[in-house]
Amino acid sequence: MTMRPSAVRLVMLVVPSLVTIGALSATAGVALALQERTIRTATTDRVLEVASSLAELPEVREAVAAARPAGTPDDLTDAAGLAPVTAVLQPIAELVGEAAGVYYVVITDDEGVRITHPLASERGVQVETANASVLAGETFVGTEVGASGPSLRAKVPVRDASGEPIGMVAVGVLESQIASELDEALSALRPWAIGALVIATLAGSVVTAVVERRFRRLDVIAAEHAQMRRTTAALREQSHEFRTRLHVIHGLVSRGQGPEALGYIEEIVPVRRAEGEFETSGDGRADDRPIAAATMRAVQAEMLDLGAQARFDLDLASDLDEGLVSVVTNLCRNAAEAGATVVSCALRTEGERVIGSVEDDGPGVDPSVAGRIFTPGFSSKHDASGFGRGLGLDVVRRIVTARGGSIEVGASTLGGARFTFDLAVAR
């Protein structure tokens, strides 16, 4: 099943953030697990080392050996019977326990009766988790539940001079203490995790913004391409129709049927005639410049259709060429379509260059878009045709620059926009 483009876009925008947050969460989880494992391993090593050291201590071995005759498996001794030995070992147990940072240090006789314990009430009582294997000579490390609750403990046998087990040393750390150490580690890790999450979120937002910006740019490009395709198709159809009409006009003119040709043209494009169609200045006459005369009449007729009047001031050494016709007609049409009611065009020849201007009384050009009005497809007017607008000024720019000239836009004395340009005289 193919995903829709909108769904693909949504996935591409969301996935980077999800991946970042997921990776951060996994990293934090691994770090927490490693921290817990490190704390537990260190605690295990500590209790085992303390228990082993005490079991090897000569004072402990001698005291436990002295307590051995105090009871039997069938007649366990009590706290009173172990009091002399407890008096010797309890201070040692408390000192070692405090120095090692463990919860308790318990030393028992060969039946598992406690000689030492942090609580006096537990002394002389047999341990609930007496391991026969420890009293038989094996070492135990693990978590058990005793009188003080669950604890991680190490149990090491105490041996006499011959190596026979005569008691054991049990050293433990409460699981609640391990959990407390883990909480402290987590508290130390939390600021780093939060900081990393904030940075990751910001980074994800930046990536998302960049991707979204690219998507928007692609949308604009796609819209421009679609508009260009519609414009190209429309121009192709118009070009075909125009060629057909030119063939008809050519046939009528070649047969000497001038009036019929004019009638055919006026059927295609009804021409409105204005009083005082154009005015010129300088030495030349309109009859000497037939293309200029025809261009001015055509522009004035088109301006009337758009609700505007066109005025011309020409001082040219020669007739208009094709490039100048295109520049003048496009600038005048652009002014009328923008809402002008008066359009004034001036052209003059200075040496080998033509200097021109087209100004109007319309709304003018917004300075914020003045730098973009000559780009292909740009238009401040609504495109009701669907075939694209904003091509006229681009055509003007290309013609002017191709002939070594320049074009600028500014404010008009008529109140609207003023386009000034210069270009080389056509050869």
Side-chain angles (χ1 to χ4, degrees), residues 87-333:
V88 174
L89 295 181
Q90 186 63 40
I92 297 175
E94 291 178 356
L95 179 63
V96 171
E98 183 177 355
V102 297
Y103 179 70
Y104 66 82
V105 175
V106 173
I107 303 174
T108 73
D109 63 6
D110 56 343
E111 279 84 31
V113 177
R114 300 186 185 100
I115 300 173
T116 66
H117 193 279
L119 299 177
S121 60
E122 296 295 326
R123 299 167 193 164
V125 179
Q126 190 178 41
V127 296
E128 295 89 342
T129 57
N131 295 78
S133 59
V134 178
L135 295 175
E138 297 182 6
T139 298
F140 170 83
V141 177
T143 298
E144 291 181 334
V145 179
S148 303
S151 62
L152 175 62
R153 59 188 65 178
K155 297 179 179 180
V156 177
V158 178
R159 302 176 185 272
D160 60 12
S162 64
E164 181 182 355
I166 56 175
M168 68 176 175
V169 175
V171 178
V173 174
L174 294 177
E175 288 288 343
S176 58
Q177 181 179 344
I178 297 177
S180 177
E181 293 181 13
L182 182 60
D183 287 341
E184 291 179 5
L186 181 59
S187 298
L189 180 64
R190 189 178 293 114
W192 295 96
I194 293 175
L197 179 60
V198 171
I199 294 174
T201 301
L202 293 176
S205 300
V206 171
V207 172
T208 300
V210 171
V211 174
E212 177 62 18
R213 185 176 179 180
R214 294 291 179 88
F215 277 135
R216 291 179 180 176
R217 179 58 182 164
L218 290 176
D219 288 342
V220 172
I221 294 174
E224 291 177 352
H225 286 176
Q227 184 182 69
M228 191 64 69
R229 285 195 297 269
R230 292 194 299 268
T231 302
T232 302
L235 291 176
R236 188 180 295 113
E237 293 177 2
Q238 293 176 5
S239 175
H240 178 73
E241 184 179 359
F242 183 68
R243 289 171 61 88
T244 301
R245 289 172 175 172
L246 282 179
H247 282 299
V248 174
I249 295 171
H250 181 271
L252 291 172
V253 173
S254 63
R255 295 178 184 180
Q257 297 175 316
E260 289 78 2
L262 289 176
Y264 178 74
I265 293 173
E266 291 187 358
E267 287 180 4
I268 299 172
V269 183
V271 178
R272 296 178 58 181
R273 303 183 184 279
E275 296 180 2
E277 285 184 336
F278 60 90
E279 55 185 83
T280 64
S281 63
D283 298 332
R285 296 175 300 163
D287 293 340
D288 297 332
R289 300 187 295 277
I291 296 177
T295 299
M296 288 186 286
R297 289 191 181 92
V299 170
Q300 285 178 326
E302 184 176 6
M303 295 298 99
L304 288 175
D305 287 336
L306 294 172
Q309 293 182 348
R311 298 197 302 244
F312 290 90
D313 181 7
L314 306 183
D315 186 8
L316 298 171
S318 60
D319 204 354
L320 294 181
D321 57 76
E322 180 181 357
L324 275 173
V325 170
S326 181
V327 170
V328 169
T329 56
N330 274 293
L331 288 177
C332 290
R333 183 184 304 111

Side-chain angles (χ1 to χ4, degrees), residues 43-53 139-141 154-156:
T43 303
T44 301
D45 292 342
R46 185 167 78 252
V47 295
L48 180 60
E49 182 178 359
V50 172
S52 299
S53 299
T139 298
F140 170 83
V141 177
K155 297 179 179 180
V156 177

